[in-house]
């Protein structure tokens, strides 16, 4: 069955870095657009970054220049390198796979930016 398993979250000080990973299985990973979303308490889930099957990328304005999304099709994995983290980056981060109308979500990993 389809699985998306996020890892790499945790507690980090402002200005620090984290690298999130999402391991995928159960579908043809290389054909899917992969994205990272986040949801902070009391807020709607928002798109952070997307990398398409052709490897083009887009980012939310709030993370441009600080976050980098990448994928390794040989490992069926997508990554989110997060640098210069801010307290407002605190959220649960979710991995998502999309192919046309088909979409799959991971369970999420908590990122907390605090001193």
């Amino acid at each position: 069955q389809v699985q998306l398993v996020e890892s790499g979250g945790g507690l980090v000080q402002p200005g620090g870095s984290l690298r999130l990973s999402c391991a995928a299985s159960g579908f043809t990973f290389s054909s899917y657009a992969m994205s990272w979303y986040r949801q902070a308490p009391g807020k709607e889930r928002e798109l952070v970054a997307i990398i398409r099957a052709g490897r083009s990328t887009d980012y939310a304005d709030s993370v441009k220049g600080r976050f980098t999304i990448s994928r390794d099709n040989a490992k069926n994995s997508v990554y989110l390198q997060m640098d210069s983290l801010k307290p407002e980056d605190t959220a649960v981060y979710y991995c998502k796979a999309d192919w046309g109308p088909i979409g799959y979500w991971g369970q999420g990993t908590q990122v907390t930016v605090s001193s």
Side-chain angles (χ1 to χ4, degrees), residues 30 32 51-56 71:
S30 60
Y32 280 65
I51 183 165
R52 300 174 183 87
R55 297 185 181 269
S56 64
R71 66 190 297 158

Side-chain angles (χ1 to χ4, degrees), residues 3-5 21-31 34 55 70-79 95 97:
Q3 280 194 309
L4 293 171
V5 180
S21 299
C22 173
S25 60
F27 61 97
T28 307
F29 179 82
S30 60
S31 298
M34 299 299 299
R55 297 185 181 269
S70 61
R71 66 190 297 158
D72 185 337
N73 290 342
K75 295 183 178 180
N76 285 359
S77 294
V78 62
Y79 308 99
C95 174

Side-chain angles (χ1 to χ4, degrees), residues 47-91:
L47 176 64
V48 175
I50 183 170
I51 183 165
R52 300 174 183 87
R55 297 185 181 269
S56 64
T57 58
D58 280 304
Y59 296 90
D61 287 343
S62 59
V63 306
K64 279 181 183 176
R66 299 189 299 121
F67 290 11
T68 303
I69 189 170
S70 61
R71 66 190 297 158
D72 185 337
N73 290 342
K75 295 183 178 180
N76 285 359
S77 294
V78 62
Y79 308 99
L80 186 67
Q81 177 66 40
M82 305 187 294
D83 299 317
S84 303
L85 282 160
K86 304 175 181 180
E88 51 263 43
D89 296 317
T90 295

